[in-house]
Amino acid sequence: MGIIKEIILKFKNLFLFKAFFSFLILPVLAFFQPIFNKYFFDYGIMSGNFKNFIILTLLIIVVYIVFFILEYINQIFDAYLKNKIREYVVEEFALKFYEIPYSEVIRKDTGYFISRVYEEPTSAIIDSLDIFINTITIFLNTVSLFIAMLILSPIATIIALPLVIISYILTKKFQPSIQDLTHKQLEYQALLRDRIGNFISSYVFVNANKIRDIVKDHLSRILREFLNTNFRLTKMQANLSYISISFSLIVQVAFFIINGYLVFIRKITVGDFLGFSRAFYPFQENLQAIFEHIPKIISSISSLKRIEEFRKQRGEAR
C-alpha cells in the first residue's frame, strides 16, 4: 500500500480534483436528483403555476450543464493522471530492476521481468486506484440516496433495507456454484484444446497404427465433459437470472403498492412517490455493488503486496 500513498502524495493536486468530483459532486447529485423530481412534480406541475415550472426546469438544466462540464473535465484529468502514473511507475520499477540480486536475475527469463517491471505494477496500481475510488464513490452515493429516501418516504425506506439484503443473499447463494462450474468449464476447455492439438500433431502415428476409433472415443469423452459442464453452467446462470428478476419485480410491485397507499392516505405526495422510485433502484444496485467490490479490494491489496515485495529487493552490488 506504500506505493499508493506515494503516488497520491506525488500527484496530490490531480487527486484532489478527482476526490472533489467523485466524493462530493457525484454524491450531492445523487441526493438532489430524487429531491428535484419531487419538487418539479409537486411545485412545478401539480401546483398549476407555470412560472414555478419554468424556474425549476431552468434550474435543473443549469445543474446538469454544470455537471456535464465537470464530468468532461474529470474524464480529461483521469486520462492525464493515469498517463502520469504509468510514466512514474515504469521509471520507478525499471530502476528497481538494477537493484535485484544478480543471482535472481540469471534464474528468470526476460519475459518474467518485463511483467514485473511494466505489466504488473502499472495494471495493479491503476486498477487498485480505480477500485478504491469507485468503492468510496459508490458508498457515498448509497448514503446520499438513503438520506433522500428517508426524507421522501421514511416508512418505505425502513422496509427497503431487509428486502435488498434478501436479494443479495439469494445472489450469493448461487455464486459459489457458478464460480466452481466456471472453473471446471475453463479446465475442460483447456484440456480439450490440448487434446485436439495432440491429435492433430499425431496424424502420422494415428494413421500408421489405425487407431482412429480410439482417438475418437477419447476425444468424445473429453468433449462430453466440457459440453455437460457448459450446459450446467448456462442452466445455473439462467436460474440465478430468473430468480433475481422475479424477486426484483416482487420488490418493485411491493414498493409501488406501499408508496401508492401512502399517497392515498396523504402521508406522502405524488412527488415523494416519484422521487423515491428515482432513488430506490440505484440505491439497490449500489448496495449490491459495494458487496461485489469487497473481493476485488482484497485481490487488489494482494497484487499491491506482490509489487511491493519486488520493489523492496536489494542487489548484491549497486
Side-chain angles (χ1 to χ4, degrees):
M1 298 293 284
I3 185 69
I4 294 292
K5 181 179 178 182
E6 185 179 315
I7 288 172
I8 290 174
L9 291 175
K10 184 170 180 63
F11 304 108
K12 60 183 177 182
N13 291 333
L14 294 175
F15 275 105
L16 280 173
F17 178 82
K18 184 79 176 171
F20 168 74
F21 182 81
S22 299
F23 303 157
L24 181 62
I25 298 299
L26 290 180
V28 167
L29 188 67
F31 171 78
F32 278 111
Q33 277 182 330
I35 302 298
F36 277 152
N37 279 16
K38 167 192 166 54
Y39 280 94
F40 183 75
F41 195 85
D42 286 345
Y43 299 99
I45 297 177
M46 297 299 289
S47 67
N49 189 322
F50 186 69
K51 181 180 178 182
N52 286 349
F53 174 78
I54 293 297
I55 291 172
L56 287 169
T57 301
L58 291 175
L59 178 62
I60 291 171
I61 291 171
V62 169
V63 168
Y64 274 98
I65 288 174
V66 172
F67 170 73
F68 289 138
I69 291 171
L70 288 172
E71 185 178 36
Y72 170 77
I73 295 172
N74 179 64
Q75 288 178 353
I76 300 299
F77 265 60
D78 191 59
Y80 177 76
L81 176 59
K82 285 180 178 177
N83 280 344
K84 283 295 196 181
I85 291 172
R86 285 190 184 96
E87 181 182 353
Y88 174 76
V89 168
V90 171
E91 290 176 355
E92 175 77 8
F93 279 80
L95 291 176
K96 288 295 174 184
F97 171 73
Y98 295 104
E99 298 179 7
I100 300 173
Y102 182 68
S103 58
E104 181 75 12
V105 172
I106 59 176
R107 289 196 303 109
K108 303 286 192 338
D109 59 21
T110 304
Y112 173 84
F113 287 108
I114 290 174
S115 176
R116 297 305 303 269
V117 168
Y118 175 70
E119 293 170 354
E120 281 189 38
T122 54
S123 177
I125 291 168
I126 290 175
D127 288 350
S128 296
L129 285 168
D130 281 341
I131 290 168
F132 296 152
I133 291 171
N134 288 341
T135 303
I136 296 171
T137 303
I138 291 170
F139 174 77
L140 293 174
N141 285 354
T142 305
V143 172
S144 296
L145 290 167
F146 183 73
I147 294 170
M149 287 163 58
L150 273 175
I151 292 171
L152 295 169
S153 182
I155 296 173
T157 302
I158 293 169
I159 298 171
L161 281 177
L163 289 175
V164 172
I165 293 170
I166 291 170
S167 177
Y168 172 73
I169 292 171
L170 286 173
T171 302
K172 292 298 287 183
K173 181 178 177 178
F174 285 88
Q175 197 170 26
S177 299
I178 289 175
Q179 288 175 344
D180 291 342
L181 285 173
T182 301
H183 179 73
K184 287 181 181 178
Q185 182 201 39
L186 294 173
E187 285 292 322
Y188 282 127
Q189 186 176 20
L191 184 61
L192 181 63
R193 186 183 293 113
D194 179 65
R195 291 295 182 270
I196 290 173
N198 289 339
F199 296 153
I200 291 172
S201 63
S202 303
Y203 174 85
V204 175
F205 178 81
V206 170
N207 281 320
N209 292 276
K210 298 181 180 179
I211 54 172
R212 293 184 187 180
D213 290 338
I214 296 174
V215 168
K216 178 185 174 183
D217 291 342
H218 188 57
L219 178 61
S220 296
R221 187 167 60 254
I222 297 170
L223 182 60
R224 278 194 299 270
E225 292 284 355
F226 169 70
L227 294 176
N228 288 338
T229 304
N230 193 52
F231 174 76
R232 288 168 58 202
L233 177 61
T234 302
K235 184 179 177 182
M236 183 71 71
Q237 289 172 332
N239 289 342
L240 175 59
S241 177
Y242 176 78
I243 291 172
S244 297
I245 291 172
S246 299
F247 189 80
S248 178
L249 287 172
I250 292 170
V251 171
Q252 290 177 34
V253 171
F255 280 111
F256 187 82
I257 293 171
I258 292 167
N259 280 324
Y261 174 74
L262 292 173
V263 170
F264 281 114
I265 63 174
R266 300 185 183 279
K267 291 292 184 181
I268 63 173
T269 65
V270 176
D272 292 327
F273 177 89
L274 295 174
F276 184 91
S277 299
R278 177 67 182 81
F280 175 70
Y281 303 118
F283 169 79
Q284 185 180 20
E285 292 173 358
N286 285 353
L287 205 58
Q288 291 178 352
I290 289 171
F291 288 113
E292 290 169 2
H293 271 64
I294 292 173
K296 293 180 181 178
I297 291 172
I298 294 170
S299 177
S300 293
I301 292 172
S302 177
S303 298
L304 291 172
K305 284 181 179 177
R306 176 173 162 81
I307 65 172
E308 283 287 358
E309 288 170 3
F310 179 83
R311 209 170 164 233
K312 289 176 180 176
Q313 293 185 82
R314 289 292 181 268
E316 295 158 350
R318 297 179 62 181

